[in-house]
């Protein structure tokens, strides 16, 4: 083992010294040790990547596509990705308005690095995916949370107006729909009302729509369609095509902004991996309809409906899970809360859940169940959760 020179230990970025270890990873380790747990903590599809996409990746390797690829992704990928967005969600992006990133994870970091100066504020409705706040902080920005826990976990025009009034200099706002951890989706009217306000501002609107192919009861409505001139749209193949390990996301935005984002993107990664780009080209092109054609969407919906019924039967309050693969429900008031509660549930009900506080203080008192696991697991977990909560 190599020892770091003692005096160098604290000479790294001071922000790292306050970073907390990832509690979800640690909890998953605990669950493994307990054994016999039905794990509803995972945030990635349990399906395999469709075969035709795997073949595209293998073909790319076989033809020795081993040199640095185009930084923003190949024209073929950007063409297919723009057509995917345009035909499915009514946007009007050209291939030059797309960057292929190393997952939406890179898109998040590259975007904040592109738009923020030190001290700039970013409005983040919470609870939400924790990476936005972490990235804002690491690039020197300031997080302004908007608590949406009292409004069915959706940002309301009133909350938005109030946040803008108290933070008139804010640079950007993050809107994630379908939501993680909540699974919420906005209706057309709800989005129109937010867009009417956002149009009057100078805010960049960061729209993370990575779960867009998983909207169950209505068509997905993209901010890339409603507010293209302000929106920095994220999407990708991680969730839509069960390709989390391939690491391909996309940013779609007006070209003037894409050109600036491209500078940071190139600095971060040079270019995404060729075989993954080839696979994503297949996914967005011939595989555009895979979520439906392979039966994945129907399967997710079946699981959602079952789990939702169980939560209703247990008499618990929930946020309506219109999309993604999460069910967000309120823990009963009791002695045990948050991490202690999920530990108890794991020990007694043998089901793994994530406590809401993992997604920000505004998630306190809530629980996230992922249904990215087999229907059999969902059926068994449902029975065990009902027994636990009703006893
Ligand atoms: C809302 C949201 N955005 C982004 C990501 C990361 O996506 P990727 O795998 O493309 O980096 C996730 C993953 O869970 C997510 O839930």
């Amino acid at each position: 083992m190599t020892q770091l020179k003692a005096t160098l230990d604290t000479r790294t970025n001071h922000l790292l010294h306050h970073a907390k270890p990832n509690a979800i990873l640690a909890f998953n380790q605990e669950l493994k040790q307990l054994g016999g747990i039905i794990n509803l903590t995972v945030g990635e599809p349990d399906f395999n990547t469709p075969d035709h996409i795997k073949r595209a990746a293998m073909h790319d390797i076989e033809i020795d596509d081993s040199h640095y690829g185009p930084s923003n992704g190949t024209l073929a990928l950007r063409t297919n990705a723009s057509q995917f967005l345009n035909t499915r969600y009514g946007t009007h992006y050209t291939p030059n308005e797309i960057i292929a990133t190393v997952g939406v994870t890179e898109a998040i970091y590259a975007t904040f690095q592109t738009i923020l100066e030190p001290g700039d504020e970013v409005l983040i409705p919470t609870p939400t995916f924790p990476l936005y706040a972490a990235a804002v902080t690491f690039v020197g920005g300031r997080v302004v949370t908007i608590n949406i826990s009292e409004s069915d976990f959706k940002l309301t025009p009133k909350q938005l107006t109030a946040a803008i009034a108290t933070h008139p200099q804010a640079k950007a706002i993050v809107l994630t729909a379908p939501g993680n951890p909540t699974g919420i989706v906005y209706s057309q009217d709800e989005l129109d009302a937010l867009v009417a306000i956002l149009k009057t501002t100078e805010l960049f609107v960061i729209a993370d729509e990575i779960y867009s192919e998983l909207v169950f009861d209505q068509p997905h409505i993209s901010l890339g369609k409603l507010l293209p001139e302000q929106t920095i749209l994220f999407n990708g193949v991680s969730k839509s095509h069960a390709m989390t390990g391939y690491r391909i996301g996309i940013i779609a935005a007006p070209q003037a902004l894409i050109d600036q984002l491209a500078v940071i993107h190139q600095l971060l990664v040079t270019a995404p991996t060729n075989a993954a780009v080839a696979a994503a080209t297949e996914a967005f092109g011939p595989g555009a309809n895979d979520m439906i054609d392979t039966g994945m969407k129907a399967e997710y919906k079946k699981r959602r409906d079952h789990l939702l019924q169980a939560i209703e039967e247990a008499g618990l309050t929930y946020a309506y899970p219109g999309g993604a693969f999460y069910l967000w429900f309120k823990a009963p008031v009791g002695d045990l809360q948050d991490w202690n509660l999920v530990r108890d549930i794991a020990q007694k009900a043998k089901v793994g859940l994530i406590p809401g506080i993992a997604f920000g203080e505004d998630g306190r008192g809530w629980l996230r169940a992922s249904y990215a696991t087999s229907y059999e697991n969902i059926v068994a977990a449902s029975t065990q959760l009902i027994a636990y909560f009703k006893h």
Side-chain angles (χ1 to χ4, degrees):
M1 196 182 147
T2 314
Q3 286 287 346
L4 180 67
K5 187 173 179 179
T7 47
L8 294 185
D9 194 26
T10 51
R11 296 201 77 204
T12 49
N13 183 340
H14 73 282
L15 292 169
L16 282 168
H17 307 156
H18 307 293
K20 297 187 194 93
N22 187 324
I24 296 180
L25 287 184
F27 183 58
N28 270 323
Q29 275 308 323
E30 266 183 65
L31 293 182
K32 271 200 189 117
Q33 270 153 24
L34 270 180
I37 302 285
I38 301 174
N39 196 339
L40 307 189
T41 68
V42 274
E44 63 173 321
D46 56 309
F47 295 100
N48 291 326
T49 304
D51 284 341
H52 69 106
I53 298 176
K54 292 195 277 196
R55 282 197 296 273
M58 289 187 278
H59 176 71
D60 187 74
I61 292 169
E62 275 162 5
I63 61 169
D64 287 320
D65 184 14
S66 54
H67 299 281
Y68 291 122
S71 182
N72 287 0
T74 58
L75 180 60
L77 171 56
R78 290 182 288 111
T79 300
N80 287 3
S82 56
Q83 276 172 10
F84 177 87
L85 296 176
N86 297 347
T87 52
R88 300 181 89 74
Y89 311 133
T91 56
H92 294 96
Y93 292 111
T94 66
N96 286 345
E97 293 172 314
I98 305 277
I99 296 178
T101 54
V102 180
V104 169
T105 303
E106 185 221 324
I108 293 170
Y109 201 87
T111 297
F112 289 127
Q113 190 80 74
T114 302
I115 64 174
L116 298 184
E117 304 273 0
D120 276 351
E121 293 172 327
V122 178
L123 307 176
I124 306 185
T126 53
T128 193
F129 185 55
L131 247 61
Y132 313 123
V136 168
T137 308
F138 274 109
V139 305
R142 283 175 34 217
V143 173
V144 176
T145 58
I146 306 175
N147 182 353
I148 52 171
S149 64
E150 301 295 325
S151 52
D152 292 332
F153 298 95
K154 294 184 199 181
L155 181 69
T156 64
K158 202 171 154 198
Q159 290 163 341
L160 176 59
T161 308
I164 293 167
T166 45
H167 299 276
Q169 303 300 331
K171 239 332 166 28
I173 182 164
V174 181
L175 289 175
T176 307
N180 177 9
T182 58
I184 62 92
V185 300
Y186 289 89
S187 69
Q188 182 78 56
D189 286 351
E190 288 165 340
L191 275 182
D192 284 346
L194 294 176
V195 165
I197 299 166
L198 291 167
K199 267 190 178 155
T200 67
T201 71
E202 305 305 314
L203 289 166
F204 289 105
V205 178
I206 297 166
D208 186 345
E209 299 181 7
I210 185 132
Y211 294 100
S212 60
E213 286 294 290
L214 274 170
V215 179
F216 298 113
D217 314 305
Q218 64 179 55
H220 172 67
I221 309 163
S222 178
L223 282 165
K225 177 185 178 190
L226 301 184
L227 190 61
E229 62 277 28
Q230 274 168 267
T231 295
I232 304 174
L233 178 65
F234 298 161
N235 211 309
V237 291
S238 284
K239 319 286 171 168
S240 58
H241 293 79
M243 290 171 69
T244 44
Y246 284 74
R247 311 305 304 126
I248 296 290
I250 52 169
I251 307 176
Q255 193 171 351
L257 193 58
I258 285 289
D259 291 346
Q260 298 183 55
L261 279 157
V263 177
I264 302 294
H265 163 69
Q266 195 166 16
L267 204 61
L268 288 172
V269 300
T270 302
T273 307
N274 292 351
V277 166
T281 307
E282 175 76 13
F284 281 130
N289 225 21
D290 274 0
M291 184 60 100
I292 295 163
D293 291 350
T294 61
M296 286 192 281
K297 187 169 180 180
E299 181 66 23
Y300 281 123
K301 186 171 182 303
K302 186 170 135 193
R303 300 166 182 180
R304 176 200 71 163
D305 291 348
H306 192 94
L307 194 58
L308 186 55
Q309 209 180 348
I311 296 304
E312 279 181 348
E313 200 177 322
L316 301 173
T317 305
Y318 57 85
Y320 185 74
F325 39 60
Y326 306 111
L327 210 152
W328 179 249
F329 60 99
K330 200 169 178 135
V333 181
D335 296 341
L336 295 174
Q337 284 299 315
D338 307 318
W339 290 106
N340 288 334
L341 177 61
V342 291
R343 250 176 221 120
D344 195 59
I345 294 170
Q347 279 156 8
K348 296 189 181 138
K350 294 284 176 194
V351 177
L353 301 172
I354 303 278
I357 48 155
F359 306 96
E361 191 53 37
D362 298 330
R364 189 177 282 284
W366 289 71
L367 298 166
R368 187 190 82 171
S370 158
Y371 46 91
T373 185
S374 72
Y375 183 65
E376 292 67 40
N377 276 348
I378 293 298
V379 171
S382 297
T383 309
Q384 288 159 219
L385 286 175
I386 293 172
Y388 178 90
F389 287 120
K390 277 185 129 177
H391 94 269

